[in-house]
Amino acid sequence: MRFIVVLLNMFIKNDKVTLKFLFEIKGCKTMIETFESDICIFNNDISFLMESKNISKVLNNINEKHIQEKENGQSISNKKNDLIIWNAIYTKEIIKNGVSKSALHPLYNKFYNKIQIITKLLDLQDLEISMANTYFNILINDIQVTDNFMINKMLQFIHVNIENHLSLDKLAKDLNISVGYASDCFKKNMGISVMKYVQKIKIDRAKNLLLSTDNSILYIGILLGFYDQSHFSRTFKDIVGVSPTVYRNNNYA
């Protein structure tokens, strides 16, 4: 029996690769289609990029994908399914790098629940960028680099909750330690106060979001747990030396 396989076409639609083959078997023709999902899910690039902590490359890939999704009218249901998969992939890669599963439960669940309720493509794309920034932030800032168990727990708590309103009281309560012990232990081991460290991490995240998204200054500030745009801009300028607007204009490529 002779099988004649003819590659009819390979096209990208909704950022999905669909391969169509025509099988001619004794005059019978059958169409077979492959993966209906984000093609990047099926390669190992993300493992290498996370190991090398190459957030800029990941964000560039995501932004290019978003352009295609807008042009091709990506369906909401497919986008949600892809983000659920990416949330699991990021979590798995973070665990491979030494972060405990229990520390990631709140973060994973937060993204999972947000995916369920969002109904617009642009909002899902914003969430995808936030997801990448959040998980890479955990890697880039080496949240388990000390030999002090409690410091590692504090670092994990800070990074997982970086988009929430964080206070020393809340951190101490959630970790079941006293405020005084949390403050003294962190300053002794990290050389910086807890809240100064929190501000630094929030502003580092803000810098990424300013250059990788078109979100407004107000949106980014609120997302990162600042009370209002004025509070965010003042804190940003104190740490970076320029306002968020000036930073975006001077560095946006």
Side-chain angles (χ1 to χ4, degrees):
M1 180 182 297
R2 187 167 67 94
F3 294 82
I4 302 174
V5 182
V6 181
L7 179 62
L8 293 181
N9 63 28
M10 180 173 71
F11 62 93
I12 297 178
K13 183 178 182 181
N14 296 343
D15 202 44
K16 308 290 184 292
V17 170
T18 302
L19 301 179
K20 290 190 174 181
F21 296 96
L22 175 63
F23 288 83
E24 293 185 4
I25 308 173
K26 289 186 177 180
C28 297
K29 298 180 179 181
T30 304
M31 297 299 293
I32 298 178
E33 295 188 358
T34 60
F35 306 120
E36 283 292 335
S37 193
D38 184 343
I39 187 59
C40 296
I41 291 171
F42 301 98
N43 62 45
N44 294 320
D45 289 354
I46 191 62
S47 294
F48 171 76
L49 292 172
M50 293 192 80
E51 287 176 4
S52 59
K53 302 179 181 179
N54 193 344
I55 180 62
S56 61
K57 176 64 175 176
V58 170
L59 292 177
N60 183 63
N61 290 345
I62 291 175
N63 283 321
E64 289 180 355
K65 179 175 66 177
H66 287 175
I67 293 173
Q68 294 178 7
E69 290 174 345
K70 292 173 184 175
E71 292 176 349
N72 295 313
Q74 167 74 306
S75 74
I76 300 300
S77 60
N78 280 349
K79 186 63 179 177
K80 285 188 174 187
N81 290 336
D82 287 347
L83 290 188
I84 289 172
I85 295 172
W86 277 116
N87 193 28
I89 290 175
Y90 284 132
T91 301
K92 181 179 179 181
E93 292 296 327
I94 293 289
I95 291 171
K96 280 170 55 178
N97 281 271
V99 179
S100 66
K101 293 180 183 179
S102 60
L104 291 172
H105 286 164
L107 187 60
Y108 174 90
N109 292 338
K110 181 186 74 172
F111 283 127
Y112 182 86
N113 291 328
K114 282 187 175 181
I115 292 168
Q116 307 303 316
I117 63 176
I118 293 177
T119 59
K120 296 180 180 179
L121 178 61
L122 290 179
D123 292 338
L124 287 169
Q125 290 178 333
D126 285 344
L127 182 64
E128 183 170 20
I129 291 174
S130 176
M131 188 185 300
N133 271 313
T134 300
Y135 284 117
F136 267 85
N137 185 61
I138 293 175
L139 287 180
I140 292 170
N141 288 282
D142 292 322
I143 72 167
Q144 286 193 211
V145 296
T146 80
D147 57 3
N148 186 300
F149 174 78
M150 185 51 65
I151 292 297
N152 284 336
K153 296 288 289 183
M154 294 170 72
L155 290 171
Q156 288 178 0
F157 179 87
I158 290 169
H159 284 270
V160 168
N161 292 281
I162 200 64
E163 292 183 358
N164 301 324
H165 290 292
L166 280 175
S167 68
L168 187 57
D169 286 341
K170 178 171 175 53
L171 180 148
K173 180 179 179 180
D174 283 22
L175 295 182
N176 197 30
I177 56 178
S178 71
V179 171
Y181 174 78
S183 178
D184 293 343
C185 182
F186 196 92
K187 181 68 178 290
K188 178 180 178 180
N189 284 272
M190 300 297 294
I192 185 174
S193 71
V194 173
M195 297 316 297
K196 285 290 185 181
Y197 182 83
V198 168
Q199 284 188 340
K200 176 184 179 301
I201 297 305
K202 284 181 178 287
I203 296 306
D204 285 345
R205 175 76 60 80
K207 288 161 70 176
N208 275 330
L209 292 173
L210 285 167
L211 302 184
S212 62
T213 74
D214 295 324
N215 292 328
S216 68
I217 306 299
L218 174 61
Y219 179 91
I220 293 173
I222 297 300
L223 175 68
L224 293 175
F226 290 92
Y227 295 110
D228 51 38
Q229 183 171 332
S230 176
H231 178 215
F232 169 55
S233 296
R234 184 171 62 253
T235 304
F236 190 97
K237 188 172 183 179
D238 287 343
I239 293 175
V240 181
V242 296
S243 69
T245 301
V246 171
Y247 179 85
R248 171 177 268 173
N249 291 340
N250 289 348
N251 293 279
Y252 188 78

